Short mmCIF file of all heavy atoms in Angstrom, two decimals:
data_model
loop_
_atom_site.label_atom_id
_atom_site.label_comp_id
_atom_site.label_asym_id
_atom_site.label_seq_id
_atom_site.Cartn_x
_atom_site.Cartn_y
_atom_site.Cartn_z
N PHE K 3 123.26 115.76 97.02
CA PHE K 3 122.22 115.19 97.90
C PHE K 3 121.89 113.76 97.43
O PHE K 3 121.93 113.45 96.24
CB PHE K 3 120.94 116.01 97.85
CG PHE K 3 121.03 117.36 98.46
CD1 PHE K 3 122.24 117.94 98.85
CD2 PHE K 3 119.87 118.11 98.65
CE1 PHE K 3 122.29 119.21 99.42
CE2 PHE K 3 119.90 119.36 99.22
CZ PHE K 3 121.12 119.91 99.60
N THR K 4 121.52 112.89 98.38
CA THR K 4 121.10 111.55 98.08
C THR K 4 119.83 111.22 98.84
O THR K 4 119.78 111.35 100.07
CB THR K 4 122.19 110.53 98.46
OG1 THR K 4 123.40 110.81 97.77
CG2 THR K 4 121.74 109.11 98.08
N ILE K 5 118.79 110.82 98.13
CA ILE K 5 117.55 110.40 98.74
C ILE K 5 117.55 108.87 98.84
O ILE K 5 118.00 108.18 97.94
CB ILE K 5 116.31 110.89 97.92
CG1 ILE K 5 115.01 110.59 98.69
CG2 ILE K 5 116.30 110.31 96.53
CD1 ILE K 5 113.78 111.22 98.03
N SER K 6 117.06 108.37 99.96
CA SER K 6 116.96 106.93 100.18
C SER K 6 115.80 106.64 101.11
O SER K 6 115.22 107.55 101.71
CB SER K 6 118.27 106.36 100.73
OG SER K 6 118.55 106.92 102.02
N LYS K 7 115.45 105.38 101.23
CA LYS K 7 114.36 104.99 102.13
C LYS K 7 114.58 103.61 102.70
O LYS K 7 115.29 102.79 102.13
CB LYS K 7 113.02 105.07 101.40
CG LYS K 7 112.87 104.10 100.23
CD LYS K 7 111.50 104.20 99.60
CE LYS K 7 111.36 103.22 98.43
NZ LYS K 7 109.99 103.29 97.84
N ASP K 8 113.96 103.38 103.84
CA ASP K 8 113.96 102.08 104.48
C ASP K 8 112.49 101.69 104.57
O ASP K 8 111.75 102.18 105.43
CB ASP K 8 114.60 102.14 105.86
CG ASP K 8 114.71 100.79 106.52
OD1 ASP K 8 113.90 99.90 106.22
OD2 ASP K 8 115.64 100.63 107.35
N ASN K 9 112.05 100.82 103.67
CA ASN K 9 110.65 100.45 103.63
C ASN K 9 110.18 99.75 104.90
O ASN K 9 109.04 99.93 105.33
CB ASN K 9 110.38 99.55 102.41
CG ASN K 9 110.43 100.30 101.10
OD1 ASN K 9 110.19 101.50 101.06
ND2 ASN K 9 110.72 99.59 100.02
N ALA K 10 111.02 98.93 105.49
CA ALA K 10 110.67 98.21 106.70
C ALA K 10 110.39 99.17 107.85
O ALA K 10 109.55 98.88 108.72
CB ALA K 10 111.78 97.24 107.09
N LYS K 11 111.08 100.30 107.88
CA LYS K 11 110.90 101.31 108.94
C LYS K 11 109.96 102.44 108.53
O LYS K 11 109.68 103.32 109.35
CB LYS K 11 112.24 101.89 109.34
CG LYS K 11 113.19 100.89 109.97
CD LYS K 11 114.49 101.59 110.36
CE LYS K 11 115.45 100.60 111.02
NZ LYS K 11 116.73 101.29 111.40
N ASN K 12 109.48 102.41 107.30
CA ASN K 12 108.66 103.53 106.78
C ASN K 12 109.34 104.88 107.01
O ASN K 12 108.73 105.83 107.47
CB ASN K 12 107.28 103.52 107.40
CG ASN K 12 106.25 102.76 106.58
OD1 ASN K 12 106.59 102.05 105.62
ND2 ASN K 12 104.97 102.91 106.95
N THR K 13 110.63 104.90 106.68
CA THR K 13 111.43 106.12 106.91
C THR K 13 112.14 106.53 105.63
O THR K 13 112.73 105.71 104.96
CB THR K 13 112.43 105.89 108.04
OG1 THR K 13 111.75 105.54 109.25
CG2 THR K 13 113.23 107.18 108.31
N LEU K 14 112.08 107.82 105.36
CA LEU K 14 112.74 108.44 104.21
C LEU K 14 113.92 109.24 104.71
O LEU K 14 113.86 109.86 105.78
CB LEU K 14 111.73 109.34 103.49
CG LEU K 14 112.20 110.09 102.24
CD1 LEU K 14 112.34 109.13 101.07
CD2 LEU K 14 111.21 111.19 101.92
N TYR K 15 114.98 109.32 103.91
CA TYR K 15 116.18 110.04 104.29
C TYR K 15 116.63 110.98 103.16
O TYR K 15 116.36 110.73 101.98
CB TYR K 15 117.34 109.08 104.60
CG TYR K 15 117.03 108.08 105.67
CD1 TYR K 15 116.63 106.80 105.33
CD2 TYR K 15 117.14 108.40 107.01
CE1 TYR K 15 116.34 105.85 106.31
CE2 TYR K 15 116.86 107.47 108.00
CZ TYR K 15 116.46 106.19 107.64
OH TYR K 15 116.18 105.27 108.62
N LEU K 16 117.34 112.03 103.56
CA LEU K 16 118.00 112.88 102.61
C LEU K 16 119.39 113.21 103.16
O LEU K 16 119.52 113.94 104.14
CB LEU K 16 117.22 114.19 102.37
CG LEU K 16 117.80 115.13 101.31
CD1 LEU K 16 117.68 114.49 99.92
CD2 LEU K 16 117.12 116.49 101.34
N GLN K 17 120.40 112.65 102.53
CA GLN K 17 121.78 112.94 102.89
C GLN K 17 122.24 114.15 102.08
O GLN K 17 122.19 114.14 100.85
CB GLN K 17 122.69 111.77 102.58
CG GLN K 17 124.16 112.01 102.91
CD GLN K 17 124.42 112.20 104.37
OE1 GLN K 17 123.93 111.42 105.21
NE2 GLN K 17 125.18 113.24 104.74
N MET K 18 122.64 115.21 102.77
CA MET K 18 123.05 116.45 102.14
C MET K 18 124.52 116.72 102.41
O MET K 18 124.91 116.88 103.57
CB MET K 18 122.19 117.62 102.64
CG MET K 18 120.69 117.40 102.48
SD MET K 18 119.71 118.84 102.95
CE MET K 18 120.06 118.90 104.70
N ASN K 19 125.30 116.75 101.37
CA ASN K 19 126.75 117.01 101.47
C ASN K 19 127.10 118.28 100.72
O ASN K 19 126.33 118.76 99.89
CB ASN K 19 127.54 115.83 100.90
CG ASN K 19 127.32 114.54 101.65
OD1 ASN K 19 127.13 114.52 102.85
ND2 ASN K 19 127.37 113.42 100.91
N SER K 20 128.28 118.82 101.00
CA SER K 20 128.76 120.02 100.32
C SER K 20 127.74 121.13 100.33
O SER K 20 127.45 121.76 99.30
CB SER K 20 129.19 119.68 98.88
OG SER K 20 130.17 118.68 98.85
N LEU K 21 127.18 121.37 101.49
CA LEU K 21 126.10 122.35 101.61
C LEU K 21 126.58 123.76 101.31
O LEU K 21 127.70 124.14 101.63
CB LEU K 21 125.48 122.29 103.00
CG LEU K 21 124.57 121.07 103.22
CD1 LEU K 21 124.35 120.80 104.71
CD2 LEU K 21 123.24 121.30 102.52
N LYS K 22 125.69 124.53 100.69
CA LYS K 22 125.92 125.91 100.30
C LYS K 22 124.90 126.82 100.98
O LYS K 22 123.80 126.36 101.33
CB LYS K 22 125.80 126.07 98.79
CG LYS K 22 126.65 125.10 97.97
CD LYS K 22 126.32 125.25 96.49
CE LYS K 22 127.10 124.28 95.65
NZ LYS K 22 126.75 124.40 94.21
N PRO K 23 125.20 128.10 101.13
CA PRO K 23 124.23 129.02 101.70
C PRO K 23 122.89 129.01 100.96
O PRO K 23 121.84 129.18 101.60
CB PRO K 23 124.92 130.39 101.58
CG PRO K 23 126.37 130.05 101.70
CD PRO K 23 126.53 128.76 100.94
N GLU K 24 122.90 128.81 99.66
CA GLU K 24 121.66 128.77 98.89
C GLU K 24 120.78 127.54 99.21
O GLU K 24 119.65 127.49 98.77
CB GLU K 24 121.98 128.79 97.38
CG GLU K 24 122.71 127.57 96.86
CD GLU K 24 123.21 127.75 95.47
OE1 GLU K 24 123.98 128.70 95.22
OE2 GLU K 24 122.86 126.94 94.58
N ASP K 25 121.31 126.59 99.95
CA ASP K 25 120.52 125.45 100.40
C ASP K 25 119.66 125.78 101.63
O ASP K 25 118.84 124.96 102.04
CB ASP K 25 121.42 124.26 100.73
CG ASP K 25 122.14 123.70 99.52
OD1 ASP K 25 121.52 123.59 98.45
OD2 ASP K 25 123.35 123.37 99.66
N THR K 26 119.88 126.95 102.21
CA THR K 26 119.10 127.36 103.37
C THR K 26 117.63 127.45 103.04
O THR K 26 117.23 128.14 102.07
CB THR K 26 119.60 128.72 103.89
OG1 THR K 26 120.94 128.59 104.34
CG2 THR K 26 118.73 129.22 105.03
N ALA K 27 116.81 126.70 103.75
CA ALA K 27 115.37 126.63 103.47
C ALA K 27 114.69 125.76 104.52
O ALA K 27 115.35 125.09 105.32
CB ALA K 27 115.12 126.04 102.09
#
């Protein structure tokens, strides 16, 4: 997973790769 943000847009992101069933939530 990678967390990032765009301060100009006041937006937060979470890129999730290689997802597993245990990530279900």
Side-chain angles (χ1 to χ4, degrees):
F3 291 11
T4 302
I5 187 172
S6 62
K7 63 178 180 178
D8 185 332
N9 288 334
K11 296 181 178 180
N12 266 11
T13 301
L14 180 73
Y15 304 97
L16 183 68
Q17 179 66 47
M18 305 185 294
N19 298 325
S20 302
L21 284 162
K22 307 173 181 178
E24 65 191 57
D25 294 319
T26 295

